[in-house]
């Protein structure tokens, strides 16, 4: 019986030690920035769902405008094509990039496989298929953000396609920048139920670099006015299973974000 008593005491002691160790771990985790925690991405995702649900905007652009913008986001085999192309024509599987300018030696610049997001746009307006669409046909955006009162007090800067908020994650105060690439994003036609995302922490990247030094490596964007960029969140249409076409992005900036605020002081139309 004595042996059983000793075993019971040992088991109780071990269980108590494990409980205290877990408690200490939770306390240590609570002091860490969310992007350094073991379940950090789960915490960011939980915050993200609530945050994105509050973002609303209107758009005066059309499905044709969305297709033109989607072409602008594509990767061309020659970077100059991004500036040269004048028209596009969407077929069944490929989009043909055309330069129809006067005295152009090469009219057909490139054929690119249509993305899943572009297929969704063509489904919503089939008349755009096999139609010659001009780069210049994109309409001016006159839509506006419709920010709820609870977020308005957090706004650092507000522009046509971008918003910057102050947001607190645990003990850390950060700047969160939201940039949209598809004009319908967060409108009544393109809400949270159509979205999926990819959360990237700093440690997920091989290096941090600015645009001038960027290459094909896995890189965290770096900006001269920001001391630290901790989290990048890429937004995609849920049908875009391969996550080919990023239609919106969020950045979480760390220490020194006040410099970011000062940089945009008084520039309410910044995009």
């Amino acid at each position: 019986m004595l042996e059983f008593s000793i075993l019971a005491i040992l088991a109780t002691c071990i269980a108590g030690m494990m409980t205290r160790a877990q408690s200490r771990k939770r306390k240590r985790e609570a002091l860490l920035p969310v992007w350094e925690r073991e379940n950090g991405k789960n915490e960011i995702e939980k915050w993200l769902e609530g945050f994105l649900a509050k973002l609303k905007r209107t758009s005066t652009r059309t499905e044709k405008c969305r297709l033109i913008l989607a072409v602008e986001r594509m990767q061309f085999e020659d970077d100059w094509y991004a500036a040269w192309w004048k028209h596009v024509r969407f077929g069944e599987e490929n989009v043909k990039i055309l330069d129809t300018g006067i005295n152009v030696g090469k009219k057909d610049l490139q054929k690119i496989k249509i993305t899943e997001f572009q297929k969704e746009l063509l489904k919503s307006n089939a008349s755009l298929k096999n139609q010659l669409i001009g780069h210049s046909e994109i309409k001016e955006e006159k839509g506006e953000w419709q920010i709820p009162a609870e977020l308005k007090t957090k706004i650092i800067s507000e522009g046509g396609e971008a918003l910057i908020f102050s947001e607190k994650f645990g003990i850390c105060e950060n700047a969160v920048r939201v940039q949209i690439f598809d004009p319908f994003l967060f409108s009544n036609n393109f809400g949270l139920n159509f979205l999926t995302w990819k959360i990237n922490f700093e440690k997920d990247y091989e290096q941090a670099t600015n645009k001038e030094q960027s290459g094909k490596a896995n890189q965290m964007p770096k900006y001269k006015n920001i001391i630290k960029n901790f989290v990048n969140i890429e937004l995609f249409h849920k049908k875009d299973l391969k996550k080919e076409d990023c239609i919106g992005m969020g950045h979480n900036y760390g220490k020194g974000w006040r410099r970011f605020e000062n940089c945009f002081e008084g520039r309410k139309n910044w995009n």
Side-chain angles (χ1 to χ4, degrees):
M1 291 295 293
L2 181 60
E3 292 178 357
F4 285 118
S5 299
I6 293 171
L7 287 173
I9 292 170
L10 282 172
T12 302
C13 289
I14 291 171
M17 290 169 64
M18 291 176 64
T19 301
R20 286 194 295 274
Q22 290 171 352
S23 177
R24 286 195 295 270
K25 182 180 178 181
R26 284 194 295 269
K27 288 179 180 179
R28 286 196 301 270
E29 283 257 311
L31 295 174
L32 291 174
V34 65
W35 45 88
E36 293 182 12
R37 297 176 191 172
E38 187 176 337
N39 295 316
K41 288 190 178 180
N42 292 336
E43 294 184 46
I44 287 287
E45 185 159 27
K46 185 177 179 180
W47 164 82
L48 183 66
E49 289 179 351
F51 178 75
L52 293 182
K54 298 172 186 175
L55 298 179
K56 305 292 181 186
R57 61 173 283 115
T58 60
S59 177
T60 57
R61 284 181 165 163
T62 64
E63 299 289 357
K64 183 184 287 187
C65 297
R66 298 176 76 191
L67 271 178
I68 295 170
L69 289 169
V71 172
E72 289 182 349
R73 294 193 298 271
M74 299 183 88
Q75 184 67 48
F76 297 102
E77 61 187 26
D78 188 323
D79 289 343
W80 284 106
Y81 293 172
W84 290 347
W85 74 272
K86 298 291 190 298
H87 289 84
V88 293
R89 191 190 303 275
F90 285 87
E92 292 298 325
E93 295 296 329
N94 298 297
V95 53
K96 184 180 286 188
I97 312 297
L98 305 166
D99 185 351
T100 54
I102 300 173
N103 298 322
V104 174
K106 185 179 180 182
K107 299 285 186 181
D108 295 351
L109 297 178
Q110 187 180 351
K111 276 186 180 181
I112 310 178
K113 185 176 175 60
I114 296 175
T115 67
E116 291 301 319
F117 180 64
Q118 290 168 349
K119 287 180 181 178
E120 289 300 312
L121 296 181
L122 291 168
K123 283 180 185 177
S124 61
N125 189 346
S127 66
L128 294 172
K129 191 176 288 187
N130 296 314
Q131 179 187 139
L132 199 64
I133 300 174
H135 197 172
S136 61
E137 292 182 55
I138 189 167
K139 297 180 181 294
E140 180 185 357
E141 176 64 274
K142 296 180 181 179
E144 297 179 341
W145 287 98
Q146 298 175 328
I147 308 301
E150 61 185 298
L151 287 182
K152 278 191 175 181
T153 58
K154 298 182 177 183
I155 291 178
I156 299 171
S157 178
E158 179 179 352
E161 296 177 349
L163 290 172
I164 305 169
F165 298 92
S166 64
E167 191 74 27
K168 202 161 187 180
F169 295 87
I171 61 173
C172 300
E173 189 173 6
N174 300 78
V176 175
R177 182 175 184 269
V178 180
Q179 173 80 47
I180 68 166
F181 306 134
D182 178 74
F184 280 22
L185 187 57
F186 305 126
S187 70
N188 291 334
N189 297 317
F190 197 168
L192 187 60
N193 56 318
F194 288 103
L195 279 178
T196 186
W197 45 76
K198 182 180 179 183
I199 299 171
N200 307 287
F201 283 178
E202 182 188 21
K203 61 186 177 183
D204 297 327
Y205 294 90
E206 295 173 7
Q207 58 182 308
T209 184
N210 58 33
K211 183 179 179 182
E212 289 72 25
Q213 298 172 326
S214 64
K216 294 184 178 180
N218 182 26
Q219 298 167 341
M220 166 74 87
K222 184 171 69 175
Y223 304 94
K224 63 181 180 180
N225 294 311
I226 309 300
I227 290 181
K228 200 74 170 177
N229 183 1
F230 287 114
V231 185
N232 275 349
I233 302 170
E234 299 170 277
L235 304 178
F236 302 90
H237 191 285
K238 67 178 182 180
K239 292 287 184 70
D240 186 0
L241 300 180
K242 295 181 180 179
K243 294 182 169 57
E244 297 175 299
D245 189 358
C246 177
I247 54 177
M249 182 168 283
H251 302 284
N252 185 320
Y253 301 107
K255 295 178 181 178
W257 70 266
R258 289 287 178 187
R259 288 174 58 190
F260 196 89
E261 178 181 13
N262 295 336
C263 181
F264 299 107
E265 186 69 32
R267 295 174 61 184
K268 295 299 182 182
N269 293 320
W270 178 80
N271 288 329

